[in-house]
Amino acid sequence: MTGPPVQPIVDLDHAATTRVRPAVREAMAPFLDERYGNPSGSHRLAREAVRAVDEARERVAAALGCAPAEVVFTSGGTESDNHAISGGMPPRPGVPVCTAVEHHAVLDPVRALDGVVVAVDRSGRVDLDALGAALEGAGGHVSVVSVMLANNETGVITDLDAVAAVVRAHEPEVPRVPLHTDAVQAAAWLDLADQAAAADLVSVSGHKLGGPKGIGALIVRQHTPIRPLVMGGGQEHGRRSGTSNVVGIVGLAAALDATVADRVATNERIAALRDRLVEGLLATVTGTVETAVLDGDRSAVLPGICHLCIEGVDAESLLFLLEAEGVAASAASSCASGAQQSSHVLEAMGVDPLVARGSLRLSLGWDSTAADVDAALAAVPRAVERVRAFG
Ligand code: PLP
């Protein structure tokens, strides 16, 4: 295919999606070609596909700290979240409970099921007293509690053990209330075997960690009540029907393997780049605050996320000018049309709407470089100046 040369882009929007890692592409290639079998069959091609899916399931389980039988492959984070909240078809009895800063893939099904949305504090962490009160208010009829492990806008990390302690303290002995965590953003950075261990249901997605789009997983720990959401051929041990996305499943396993293998080094490298980016912008752009970081302590924020609010600019104009400079960034999460929506996350954190108007999320990923940070350190002050001049 020919066309105008594609301008290189400085990608500072890794929280939206990531480039497929070379090792993932390599692992997937045979399954787009000669190993194209459908595992629901009995001949050699099918048996090869079964073997590939079984092996991938074992590797995903090892990376996420669960048993292979607890892994349900899905079409991505949205489906995993929807399945966890509803519990399948028909939905689990009782009222779902989640926090006000969840992704819409959690918030929307909770609202559709007349659930309860719990407040967060100024840093974006769930208010544990409000969570306790919501559990008491529901009088033992809670179907699921959902608290994300790390927020997709601010990068703020939740202490899930503390959340689990509140849930366990408020539930009646039987039945145990399932605790779900949306770990879609966290999985690229945190050791879920440890930090999501308290959750009965865990959502992950391939494309946030160097894997392909359209594949994810829901961990369903043993004894957690779940019915199928997608029904039909009975794949995934009857928990998620539909012909297995073999190439995607292989890609997800390879992406998790690569993420786990270089996590320590990548986190250290990216956190240092992120800190240089934040500190550089705080020093050069007047009227800038770090949204969810109090006292400069970024230890409880994902290494790849820099979230700022910049006085006297509106995010849409800023993003437009940054794009003209070749920098891809984001403000709140983008909706399906690509337009920016005002942020329910910042609103829930009590950020003044006038301040939230100038929100900017610069997110780094596994392939981010010092040159990306240099480009942003040059482009953002210029773009802010221009927005303010025309403001
Ligand atoms: N949950 C969080 C926290 C996310 O950031 C996203 C994607 O932006 C999703 C869920 C949805 O995942 P997917 O794009 O795989 O459907």
Side-chain angles (χ1 to χ4, degrees), residues 15 76-78 81 103 105 148 152 182 184-185 205 207-208:
T78 300
D81 285 348
H103 190 277
M148 70 202 315
N152 48 300
D182 176 338
V184 166
Q185 293 290 335
S205 173
H207 73 105
K208 306 288 186 181

Side-chain angles (χ1 to χ4, degrees), residues 25-319:
R25 186 191 300 238
E26 211 175 290
M28 290 170 66
F31 297 91
L32 288 166
D33 197 356
E34 74 278 5
R35 298 180 68 183
Y36 60 88
N38 178 343
S40 306
S42 55
H43 44 71
R44 184 177 60 81
L45 275 175
R47 285 195 303 276
E48 272 180 12
V50 169
R51 203 171 322 121
V53 171
D54 286 349
E55 274 173 19
R57 194 184 303 282
E58 278 171 23
R59 285 158 54 202
V60 169
L64 300 181
C66 64
E70 294 174 327
V71 175
V72 179
F73 290 117
T74 66
S75 66
T78 300
E79 184 189 320
S80 296
D81 285 348
N82 273 251
H83 199 172
I85 298 304
S86 69
M89 289 251 286
R92 264 186 229 104
V95 179
V97 174
C98 75
T99 83
V101 295
E102 298 300 313
H103 190 277
H104 279 288
V106 167
L107 264 180
D108 291 4
V110 166
R111 290 198 174 119
L113 292 165
D114 294 325
V116 176
V117 177
V118 176
V120 297
D121 64 18
R122 174 65 186 81
S123 71
R125 288 183 185 81
V126 61
D127 177 334
L128 294 177
D129 292 336
L131 176 61
L135 294 172
E136 266 162 42
H141 297 297
V142 176
S143 58
V144 66
V145 173
S146 183
V147 179
M148 70 202 315
L149 190 51
N151 185 267
N152 48 300
E153 290 185 31
T154 60
V156 166
I157 300 168
T158 299
D159 175 354
L160 215 57
D161 291 335
V163 171
V166 173
V167 174
R168 299 299 161 232
H170 282 84
E171 69 194 354
E173 269 312 299
V174 181
R176 185 185 150 93
V177 176
L179 174 61
H180 167 247
T181 194
D182 176 338
V184 166
Q185 293 290 335
W189 309 101
L190 305 182
D191 177 7
L192 299 197
D194 175 32
Q195 282 177 268
D200 304 293
L201 297 154
V202 183
S203 301
V204 297
S205 173
H207 73 105
K208 306 288 186 181
L209 39 83
K213 295 171 183 58
I215 185 70
L218 178 65
I219 296 178
V220 182
R221 298 210 202 271
Q222 229 190 341
H223 306 308
T224 306
I226 196 109
R227 298 190 178 102
L229 183 66
V230 180
M231 287 176 264
Q235 288 87 349
E236 295 296 299
H237 303 291
R239 292 178 297 186
R240 201 282 186 185
S241 288
T243 299
S244 304
N245 176 2
V246 180
V247 67
I249 289 169
V250 168
L252 175 64
L256 279 167
D257 276 351
T259 301
V260 171
D262 60 30
R263 176 175 289 135
V264 173
T266 299
N267 284 12
E268 200 175 308
R269 185 178 73 81
I270 296 298
L273 286 180
R274 187 273 316 272
D275 289 350
R276 183 159 74 81
L277 178 61
V278 174
E279 278 147 30
L281 292 177
L282 289 175
T284 53
V285 183
T286 54
T288 300
V289 288
E290 251 187 300
T291 315
V293 174
L294 310 173
D295 307 324
D297 177 10
R298 295 184 201 106
S299 59
V301 171
L302 293 179
I305 303 261
C306 155
H307 195 291
L308 306 171
C309 285
I310 306 175
E311 201 182 293
V313 301
D314 81 278
E316 203 146 338
S317 311
L318 183 60
L319 294 179

